[in-house]
Amino acid sequence: MDHADAVRMNATERYLLKELDPAQLDQFEEHLFECQECALDVRAAAEFFEQSKHVLAPGPVPVPVHVPTPAPTPSHWLAWLRPAIAVPVMAGLLAVIAFQNFVTLPKMQSALRNPKVMPWAAVNVGTWGAGGPTITAKSGQSFLLFVRIPPEAGYTGYTADLYNPAGKLEWSLTFPAAAGQDQWPMQVPGSDWQTGTYTLKIRGATAAGESRDLGRTSFDLQVQN
């Protein structure tokens, strides 16, 4: 999936609304590692949705007031049309949108455009055990892994699975194989990192659709406060 395909199919919105089918989901998540513009859109939209939840959260229950001739009680969704409720909600949403447009998005765009040196390490699939490389990164900071996979004929693609020190899967990345290429640079997105040993497992996919374990490697992550 390229950027034009992602825009045409509204992939960002459908991704956050969980409307992508499994194949589209894999293609879009792979695209996010390559397209900073789509990654920025996803981060901004996700933060907007989170802020909207707080704005639209139910407020205090109003105290009922007795009137001589009560009107029929409107349905729950029609209650949002009442000026007393609609005006504050719309004002809150406008404030969230303004904050996104004038504060959050410019900061994200500036961070993406500015060059920077990232923590990194080179790892070889098949070397497992003590003595792996050490990466020092801040909590939430991205870093790079240069993963060497022994070139073997017959594989159309690979899947990398990253496990944290507790053995829980952090993420999976599927990418196509390329003739003659044996090293793959991977950007590991920022997360709430824990100090410890992380494990990277690599699986190869054949043209017949079979998945085979090719090996694993590990690295130590030191988290700076």
Side-chain angles (χ1 to χ4, degrees):
M1 177 184 298
D2 57 23
H3 183 67
D5 293 332
V7 173
R8 183 174 60 255
M9 65 184 295
N10 295 322
T12 298
E13 293 82 357
R14 295 177 62 191
Y15 175 75
L16 293 172
L17 295 174
K18 302 185 185 300
E19 294 180 352
L20 296 176
D21 60 40
Q24 292 172 331
L25 179 62
D26 290 341
Q27 294 173 4
F28 184 64
E29 288 183 338
E30 179 181 345
H31 174 68
L32 286 178
F33 280 93
E34 303 172 352
C35 180
Q36 292 185 343
E37 185 173 349
C38 284
L40 176 62
D41 288 343
V42 169
R43 293 176 187 173
E47 188 169 344
F48 172 75
F49 287 164
E50 186 64 27
Q51 294 293 336
S52 299
K53 292 179 183 179
H54 297 293
V55 173
L56 296 175
V61 178
V63 178
V65 179
H66 175 74
V67 292
T69 55
T73 302
S75 63
H76 178 72
W77 70 271
L78 285 177
W80 289 99
L81 298 179
R82 294 177 180 174
I85 298 177
V87 172
V89 169
M90 292 304 296
L93 286 176
L94 289 175
V96 171
I97 293 173
F99 182 81
Q100 294 286 339
N101 290 336
F102 295 105
V103 179
T104 304
L105 285 176
K107 286 184 178 180
M108 289 183 175
Q109 291 172 344
S110 176
L112 289 174
R113 293 188 182 124
N114 291 334
K116 58 184 176 182
V117 176
M118 300 177 65
W120 66 277
V123 293
N124 297 318
V125 172
T127 59
W128 167 244
T134 298
I135 302 175
T136 301
K138 297 179 181 179
S139 181
Q141 183 181 16
S142 300
F143 56 87
L144 295 174
L145 285 179
F146 293 90
V147 184
R148 185 180 182 279
I149 303 174
E152 298 182 21
Y155 294 111
T156 59
Y158 303 102
T159 297
D161 299 320
L162 181 67
Y163 294 84
N164 63 23
K168 181 180 178 181
L169 179 66
E170 286 282 342
W171 50 254
S172 293
L173 172 64
T174 300
F175 51 97
Q181 182 172 348
D182 65 351
Q183 191 174 65
W184 307 85
M186 300 181 187
Q187 180 178 351
V188 181
S191 182
D192 186 15
W193 299 120
Q194 309 168 30
T195 294
T197 301
Y198 287 73
T199 304
L200 186 71
K201 299 181 180 179
I202 302 295
R203 291 176 282 128
T206 66
E210 299 177 347
S211 179
R212 300 175 183 172
D213 291 333
L214 300 183
R216 63 178 66 184
T217 185
S218 64
F219 60 91
D220 292 327
L221 183 63
Q222 297 292 330
V223 180
Q224 291 181 333
N225 296 325

